[in-house]
Amino acid sequence: MRYAQGGGLTAERQHFRERIRFEAGERFERGEKNAVIAKELRVSVRSMERWRRA
């Protein structure tokens, strides 16, 4: 099932996820590896790969 824009998350949770993506972006710029970032931010490596490509 597909969710509407926002993925079915509350506004608070959407904001939390956006902060994590922003932090990941800063760490990409510093050259950190996807696996290290994913482990520390507690998200999947696959998500890290998608975010880095975007």
Side-chain angles (χ1 to χ4, degrees):
M1 170 163 75
R2 293 216 167 249
Y3 294 101
Q5 195 73 331
L9 301 174
T10 63
E12 179 183 331
R13 192 68 179 162
Q14 287 175 0
H15 182 67
F16 173 76
R17 296 293 293 176
E18 188 61 28
R19 281 196 325 253
I20 288 176
R21 285 190 290 269
F22 184 76
E23 182 176 340
E26 291 175 341
R27 294 175 77 169
F28 294 154
E29 289 178 355
R30 292 194 301 250
E32 294 183 43
K33 295 186 182 279
N34 287 351
V36 172
I37 300 169
K39 184 176 182 179
E40 291 178 6
L41 296 181
R42 300 180 66 189
V43 297
S44 70
V45 174
R46 190 138 167 101
S47 289
M48 286 293 107
E49 293 168 351
R50 274 194 309 262
W51 296 349
R52 189 180 292 264
R53 279 194 307 268

